[in-house]
Amino acid sequence: MDKLQQPEFELSAFFEMKPDLVCIAGKDGFFKNINQAVIDKLGYTKEELFETPISSFIFSEQGDVT
C-alpha cells in the first residue's frame, strides 16, 4: 500500500471500530462519511443520510445552539 492510501485506510478502520457516533460533515451541510453507529442510532439507510441535510436531524429547540 503506498503512503497516499495509508491515511484513508486508517480513517476507515477508525470509523468502523468506534462504537460511538462518528461522522464527517461537509461545508455544504451534508454527511460525507458516517459509521455504522450513526446508521443504527438514526434508523436511516446510509444513502438516506447522505441525501438529507444534517440540519434536518437537529431539534428545532437546539437549532440556535447547534
Side-chain angles (χ1 to χ4, degrees):
M1 180 180 303
D2 68 32
K3 290 183 180 187
L4 293 177
Q5 292 175 332
Q6 186 68 23
E8 183 178 325
F9 173 76
E10 290 174 1
L11 184 61
S12 176
F14 169 77
F15 265 69
E16 295 309 316
M17 291 176 14
K18 296 293 290 180
D20 303 315
L21 280 71
V22 180
C23 69
I24 295 177
K27 290 182 180 181
D28 61 358
F30 288 86
F31 290 116
K32 299 303 176 191
N33 200 353
I34 55 175
N35 70 348
Q36 188 63 43
V38 174
I39 296 167
D40 295 342
K41 184 68 168 182
L42 296 180
Y44 294 89
T45 66
K46 190 172 192 175
E47 292 76 19
E48 290 171 324
L49 291 168
F50 284 157
E51 294 171 354
T52 307
I54 295 169
S55 61
S56 67
F57 299 106
I58 300 171
F59 292 112
S60 59
E61 298 85 37
Q62 295 177 337
D64 293 339
V65 177
T66 304

